[in-house]
Amino acid sequence: MNNQAGLKSFLKSSVVLLGILSAGYLIENIQFRGRSFMAVAALLIVLFAYGIWLFGFRQSMEKFEPKRLPIWLVWLVIGVFVSMLLALCFTQSFQLIDSALGRLLLCYTLAAAGAALLSLTQQQRSPYLNFAMILLCFGALYRLGVFIPQIQATPFSLGWSEGSRYYNASLFLSESIYGEKLPLPVLHPSRYLMQAVPFFLGIRSILVHRLWQVLLWIGMTAWGAVLFAKRFRGKLALPFWLLIIALALFFFQGAVYFHLMVCVILVLMGYQKGKPWHTLLFVLLASVWAGISRVNWMPVPGLLAAALYLLDDPLDGKPWLKYVSFPVLWAVAGVGTAWLSQQVYIRLSGNDPALFGSAFSSELLWSRLWPNATFSLGIIFAILLVCLPGFILLWETWHNGNKLQMHWLRWLGLAAILLAFLGGGILVSLKIGGGGDLHNLDAFLVFWALIAGSLITGAYTPEQTQPAVSPLKIESFGWILAMVVPVFFVVMQGAHWGFISREAQMPEVQQMQAVLDLLKDQPGEVLFIADRQLVTFGEIEGVRMEPDYEKVFLMEMAMGNNKPYLQGFYQQISSHAYKAIITDTLYTGKQGQTHAFGDENDTWVIKVLIPMLEEYEPAADWQNGGGNLLISKAQPELLGAIPNFAP
């Protein structure tokens, strides 16, 4: 495709997609017709008029000879506009910026305009490639920008569960940190083992731990993307570095959590065609890790190796049983090893085995299949949107003469793997506590990237009786969508920067310490349901860390309706075993499905908060009521001795 034809094709695709985005934004904001609404409405009119001219223009564009600008100057201008748009997204608040569709519309317009300008200035490069470079770089910078507010030295938690992560990581060195051996984490042990690295190095700075968590997210996702990119390298007209960014943004659509990416990395590094026993070794290593990660990831290592085998090894007349023997061995051995790894961890963790597996008893929320207050897209529409570019590209591959013909046994195996992880991921997403994004479909995302990506790029081995598949060029509407959809999921995350200095929060920490000092001679322990990281990092001293009833785990048990665990909690509070309880907000209103995570809120209110407030009453608060200290109602004389230090 020559440059002029390519530019015209690109402009047509861009006009169509910009029109769809503009119309979607107007529909979304029909009740709030401000200046942003009117500006987008005007843009839609311009696009409509330009589209009529563009689609009706039959002559070549070769007569159009714009004044050539230095290419460095064009890139400088594009860089300035990208920086300005990022600054708007992170620091300003108005209708267009506050909408995910609005942010996508802005960055898409910038990328399309920049690609067209570059193509007119540097005519040897495809406008589709220019577009990919601008849009994906914006998406990567935006995703990095989302991490920036997570790196702060503030002692209080930056989110509902953020402080709990550092406490769970600290449990691997509980004797040195708390002076006694505490049970290891029940939930996601592998994640907290990775996050414990700074503790192993003797570092007890929350700033360093927050930075380490961000580096894990970036580093593990990038590592996985590099290994996938190596498989597809040479099959696409994309620079290697740009392919890595595209794949990393794809994984962030879930996101695929960094501790789960370890399983993927081990298998991709260890899989070798024609060396099944070498592959088995790495499958077993990855399965040991999967066993202490998540139960639905137990089959991932074995089936990932099986998927690679089905893609890379043609049947070529082999007996079926012989052909599938090693994939079956990897799958069975992988699941068995993962289960054994989990059982060993359970025995070593110091926890009651009944605490593991709460997800099997939790409620299913079928409403989260469709658009809802918790997830505006809903699980079904979101995963269809993620897969849409792949389906279109597969159709374009077929339409261009690449029939993607493999033996039906290989097709059956690949389809079965995808459907298993799709169904399992949707089911887990429907569990109460999930369904707010696609992170429970993370395994499906990995397999979809591998299988669809290999078929689209020709990075697989056809049967010997069939011709090799030529890779699809990037000059297509499908490739534009393949860039746009991951960026849309990235910009769905609001990223308004807000920073609080450590010094601004320390007076409240000191006042909390003063109140706890007043209680030190009273019988009983102090229960930190929330804000355990204050003890972990030495901000609060002189209290024993009570291992039971940490906020995130207590919530997990409440959602899983673990009656023995909850009865133990009720017995402790009814007997006033704790002289004080540190918890977060005391809001007892029920929200229902009209609010984001309303079902989870109601579960907490009914099963934890109301029973607790029947026996304990607030004595002091901080963080504008976001944190509270409760005193037993059996000791009303303590209330007068405790100053309320709410600002």
Side-chain angles (χ1 to χ4, degrees), residues 144-179:
L144 293 175
V146 172
F147 283 124
I148 296 299
Q150 299 178 23
I151 308 174
Q152 301 189 51
T154 52
F156 289 110
S157 180
L158 296 176
W160 189 83
S161 62
E162 194 244 4
S164 300
R165 298 170 196 154
Y166 310 119
Y167 164 73
N168 281 314
S170 74
L171 293 175
F172 290 97
L173 288 96
S174 58
E175 285 188 272
S176 63
I177 296 174
Y178 305 112

Side-chain angles (χ1 to χ4, degrees), residues 75-90 106-107 110-111 114 133-142:
W75 275 114
L76 178 61
V77 171
I78 292 172
V80 169
F81 275 96
V82 167
S83 301
M84 291 172 59
L85 180 54
L86 288 169
L88 282 175
C89 292
F90 295 144
L106 287 172
C107 70
L110 174 58
M133 294 174 69
I134 299 170
L135 187 71
L136 292 178
C137 285
F138 175 88
L141 291 171
Y142 187 97

Side-chain angles (χ1 to χ4, degrees), residues 223-228 231 251 261-272 282 304 308 446 450:
W223 192 354
V226 167
L227 294 175
F228 270 82
R231 180 178 180 85
F251 293 134
M261 190 62 78
V262 172
C263 301
V264 179
I265 290 170
L266 283 172
V267 174
L268 289 178
M269 290 180 62
Y271 173 81
Q272 289 189 14
F282 280 84
L304 185 58
L308 288 165
V446 169
L450 173 67

Side-chain angles (χ1 to χ4, degrees), residues 270-431:
Y271 173 81
Q272 289 189 14
K273 183 178 179 180
K275 295 184 177 181
W277 298 109
H278 181 275
T279 299
L280 177 62
L281 174 62
F282 280 84
V283 166
L284 296 180
L285 289 174
S287 297
V288 169
W289 189 261
I292 61 169
S293 298
R294 294 182 64 190
V295 66
N296 55 316
W297 268 69
M298 287 185 176
V300 167
L303 289 178
L304 185 58
L308 288 165
Y309 175 87
L310 291 170
L311 288 166
D312 291 349
D313 279 77
L315 201 70
D316 287 341
K318 300 185 188 76
W320 293 355
L321 289 179
K322 181 179 179 180
Y323 179 77
V324 301
S325 58
F326 277 109
V328 171
L329 173 63
W330 297 333
V332 173
V335 171
T337 301
W339 180 85
L340 182 61
S341 171
Q342 183 194 57
Q343 298 308 306
V344 171
Y345 178 82
I346 290 173
R347 300 302 184 273
L348 297 176
S349 70
N351 293 287
D352 180 355
L355 299 179
F356 293 82
S358 59
F360 293 106
S361 59
S362 55
E363 179 185 0
L364 291 174
L365 303 177
W366 293 98
S367 62
R368 293 193 179 168
L369 282 174
W370 316 110
N372 59 86
T374 300
F375 189 20
S376 59
L377 292 175
I379 298 299
I380 296 298
F381 290 150
I383 197 60
L384 286 176
L385 181 60
V386 167
C387 295
L388 178 62
F391 282 126
I392 292 177
L393 287 172
L394 286 170
W395 179 85
E396 290 178 350
T397 300
W398 184 279
H399 185 70
N400 289 346
N402 293 326
K403 299 305 181 183
L404 301 177
Q405 294 177 354
M406 291 192 298
H407 191 278
W408 66 265
L409 187 62
R410 298 169 71 187
W411 281 118
L412 180 62
L414 294 173
I417 290 172
L418 282 175
L419 289 174
F421 284 108
L422 176 62
I426 290 175
L427 182 63
V428 176
S429 296
L430 294 178
K431 292 284 186 177

Side-chain angles (χ1 to χ4, degrees), residues 611-631:
M612 186 166 57
L613 291 177
E614 289 177 354
E615 304 294 340
Y616 286 79
E617 57 186 320
D621 64 272
W622 56 92
Q623 294 285 287
N624 295 318
N628 292 271
L629 184 141
L630 307 181
I631 294 295

